Amino acid sequence: MLDLWVAWWRDHHAHGEVIIVRWADDFVVGFEDEQDARQFLVGLRERFARFGLELHPDKTRLLEFGRHAAWKRRRRGAGKPETFDFLGFTHICATNRAGRFWIKRITIAKRMRAKLAEIKIELKRRWHHPIPEQGQWLASVLRGHYAYYAVPGNSDAVNDLRFQATRLWRKRLRRRSQRARLNWVRMKRIANRWLPRPRVMHPFPEVRFAART
């Protein structure tokens, strides 16, 4: 319903480059030409209607994004480029230290809050388990999170998850005994023993998708 139609529309109507990235029913479409984007959206609504479907009103929008968005918006006095959320990341127009454009991806804030809420609930359930057992479980949670979210530019967010998880763990351990004095010095030793530190797990997209010869 979508993929074949997009390919047809691109071949018959587009004046510039058109790309689409889709995962299940979530997708982002990029256009070189603004008018293409506007015409595509009209056609897409009609296409969906033929199958009794409609675009999500809160998630569907046109926005100016990419390497030229910042200076074009400054020229118009329109402020910084908008961001968008896709597959767990907020995508941001940014520049690296050399001043070159790149798309920075950071963990969506509500995803971070949800993960910490899950950790809090599970730590409560494992309240009386031995520290090594708790540490092994929490380490597996963090490794799973790093495997997806530890992308270039997102180090602050994944480091913060480890810190917040450590804070929740300390709070839970302190409640096991009113007499226990679990200060941050000791807690850091426990965390360093069991919780892996995050590192970037994925290369930049241009490296990952580079043609191999």
Side-chain angles (χ1 to χ4, degrees), residues 1 19 45 48 50 71 101-102 104 128-129 131-132 138 146 150 169 176 181 189 207-208:
M1 188 279 294
I19 61 171
R45 294 188 192 279
F48 269 47
R50 289 182 57 187
W71 70 264
F101 171 81
W102 69 304
K104 185 175 182 179
H128 293 293
H129 292 194
I131 287 179
L138 190 52
Y146 301 161
W169 193 15
R176 298 214 306 197
R181 294 291 182 180
R189 288 199 297 266
V207 176
R208 189 166 71 249

Side-chain angles (χ1 to χ4, degrees), residues 56 81 141 193:
H56 195 293
V141 172
R193 169 66 179 84

Side-chain angles (χ1 to χ4, degrees), residues 65-106:
F65 196 88
R67 67 180 66 254
H68 302 300
W71 70 264
K72 286 183 177 180
R73 293 176 66 85
R74 280 198 305 269
R75 185 176 61 185
R76 302 196 309 268
K80 294 182 179 180
E82 296 179 71
T83 65
F84 68 92
D85 294 342
F86 186 55
L87 301 183
F89 291 96
T90 297
H91 294 69
I92 305 168
C93 289
T95 55
N96 61 19
R97 294 179 180 178
R100 297 181 60 186
F101 171 81
W102 69 304
I103 298 176
K104 185 175 182 179
R105 294 171 292 164
I106 62 174

Side-chain angles (χ1 to χ4, degrees), residues 93-140:
C93 289
T95 55
N96 61 19
R97 294 179 180 178
R100 297 181 60 186
F101 171 81
W102 69 304
I103 298 176
K104 185 175 182 179
R105 294 171 292 164
I106 62 174
T107 309
I108 294 176
K110 65 180 181 181
R111 294 290 182 91
M112 177 79 80
R113 292 193 295 269
K115 176 57 67 175
L116 288 171
E118 293 174 7
I119 290 173
K120 182 178 181 179
I121 292 172
E122 189 61 21
L123 282 173
K124 183 177 181 180
R125 193 181 73 82
R126 297 169 181 263
W127 189 5
H128 293 293
H129 292 194
I131 287 179
E133 186 176 323
Q134 293 183 15
Q136 290 174 357
W137 166 77
L138 190 52
S140 69

